[in-house]
Amino acid sequence: QVQLIESGGGLVQAGGSLRLSCAVSERTASTYAMGWFRQAPGKIREFVAAKGRLGITTSYADSVKGRFTISRDNAKNTVYLQMNSLKPEDTAVYYCAAALQIAELTRGTPSKWGRGTQVTVSS
């Protein structure tokens, strides 16, 4: 069964940058569309970004467009989320997710979830 393991979270000042990584346990990571979600305290989990299986199709939440970039390296079975110009409102637990189709990610119904990594942005 595929496992998703996030890393790279931490504490950063507003305006700073972080890069999250998600390691996919299976050798055939390209089988899945991959994405990132986040959940802030007291809020529901929300979609952040997704990339299709071959890395061609990409989707972002409006709140992160122009600041976050999702990428994937299928040879390394890893997905990344580069986060720039971070704001205090980006503070959340960030979750890696996988699905057979990117549409499952954009509508919030992936089949696989990681355990999450905390990102805290101080003002």
Side-chain angles (χ1 to χ4, degrees):
Q1 185 172 354
V2 64
Q3 291 186 327
L4 309 177
I5 303 173
E6 303 97 335
S7 62
L11 173 64
V12 64
Q13 288 188 332
S17 299
L18 279 176
R19 188 177 81 157
L20 305 182
S21 299
C22 174
V24 184
S25 63
E26 288 191 354
R27 295 179 183 178
T28 55
S30 58
T31 299
Y32 300 98
M34 300 296 298
W36 291 92
F37 289 74
R38 66 187 181 185
Q39 187 168 17
K43 296 187 177 181
I44 62 172
R45 192 174 300 188
E46 64 176 1
F47 169 77
V48 175
K51 188 168 278 289
R53 292 179 294 129
L54 300 180
I56 298 173
T57 305
T58 306
S59 181
Y60 293 97
D62 288 343
S63 59
V64 306
K65 281 181 181 177
R67 300 188 299 123
F68 291 10
T69 302
I70 186 171
S71 61
R72 64 187 298 163
D73 185 337
N74 287 341
K76 295 182 178 180
N77 296 322
T78 303
V79 179
Y80 305 96
L81 185 68
Q82 177 67 43
M83 306 185 294
N84 298 328
S85 302
L86 282 161
K87 305 174 182 180
E89 51 263 45
D90 293 319
T91 296
V93 177
Y94 282 72
Y95 297 90
C96 181
L100 293 179
Q101 301 293 333
I102 193 172
E104 298 175 65
L105 294 167
T106 56
R107 64 172 180 245
T109 58
S111 55
K112 314 288 183 183
W113 291 99
R115 293 187 175 183
T117 185
Q118 177 70 46
V119 171
T120 303
V121 184
S122 63
S123 58

